[in-house]
Amino acid sequence: MTGSHKGAVVPGRGGRLRRTAMFGLSFLVLLVAGAGWGYLKLTGSIDTFSADGISGDRPPDTSAGQNVLVIGSDSRSGENSGLGGGTGEVGRSDTAFLLHVYADHKHAVAVSVPRDSLVDIPACKKPGGDWTAPQQHVMFNGAFSVGETAEGNPACTQNTVEHLTGLRVDHTVVVDFAGFSALTSAVGAVPVCLPQDVYQRDLNPKRPTRGELVFGKGPQRVSGQRALDYVRIRHGIGDGSDIGRIKRQQAFVGSLVKRVKSRGLNPTTLLPLANAATDAMTVDPGLGSADKLLKFALSMKNIDLHNTKFVTVPWRYEGARVAIVEPEADALWAALKADRTIDGQDAAGTSRSKGAAPAPGKPSPTGPVSGRGIDVAVYNGTTVTGLAARAAELLRAHGFTVTGTATANSQDQTGTVVTYGPGLKDEAETTARLFAGARTTQSDNAGIQVIVGSDYAASPSAAPTSPKPETVPSGVADGARSADDDLCSDVSYG
């Protein structure tokens, strides 16, 4: 890996990830609208998809918690026409996340899978009854389009997620653009905050001119079509990537749910919300009746926002696509299968018992530094020529695998920083022990990156082995995002 690194903790930008506009809506449907269903007598308004296409070769149901696959469709068919969905009538997967509800029914984590992720798609059933041949190393969102129907193929996406994760999906929910617009209209004006003016070309980069102003800089409130436009913005805010947009949408979830709760959870406010939510969804047959849907919703009613975390599956760019990084992704799926939070704790937030074995590979803060099995990318955050190469030599001498060196976007880094993706906190702390005074901090990006600062240029020797490096608190488990994070304080906005 060579060249310029566009941002100290962002391994690239401009990748061809696409819209994840349904994330906030879908999560609200699952966590809040369920309360409204208690006031409704639902009769036949629940759309379901056929279970015939769900594979017979499924993972065993071994998780103590519950796994819910949520898919956002960007089809232009039906009421979605004109709302900014994809071109054509074929249903496409705009976003997808796997929501793991822990066995205590008070905690949850949502793992987002970027639509351009390269995965293996198992055999899937087409509308005519034929089954496709398995596909290897293809885009994840292609599973939803198998059969090329307007309603998409949720069963195929479920098969793909089960094949990818080894987790059994208990329920699958599909939400479309029309549902998003209707539900946010029912909620009312949702507060958002923009760091800069946003124009029409920020929504549609193919426009030859900047176009009219869509959103002015600063705090404001959005609903309906404007809410949909807001969550679809990619190029006008932050680093221009879809990963950055995912983080903004996660912040939008918190603002959306706070808005609902501020109006009070009563029949007057929740009936319109429940009606809109019901119309917005297509569900698996296991949720296809009022009783089943209500039971499912009530099982989630005690999940509070601050106990809900958001992560993206460990990833890296592979050309214009996204590769899922192993073994980090496997470690994440294993934690969910064992009903462990992503920081290795149980769902109640308490540490494991004293008799429990430590996590494999956990470093000793006083022993010699060994980087065996740890991959690291190194970036020069200074103007000192060759500093990244010097740090790479140090890392290799201690057994680390250096995946590449590059220049960071900013060359005014004073202190050396080690960033890490989900599940890599221990490895990052081992890495930081080689750099005196280095601090570690969680990143939304997969893998471990060392951004060397001027402190390393002044004293490029290995760090003492005894002090444990400072860890920058992220405020959530292992750096995951909490659903109640403040929208306008989100660093991804600027």
Side-chain angles (χ1 to χ4, degrees), residues 363-386:
S364 166
T366 59
V369 177
S370 172
R372 180 185 294 272
I374 302 177
D375 295 339
V376 182
V378 185
Y379 300 98
N380 187 352
T382 76
T383 57
V384 179
T385 302

Side-chain angles (χ1 to χ4, degrees), residues 446-466:
I448 296 174
Q449 297 87 36
V450 175
I451 303 97
V452 290
S454 56
D455 59 343
Y456 182 69
S459 179
S461 58
T465 58
S466 53

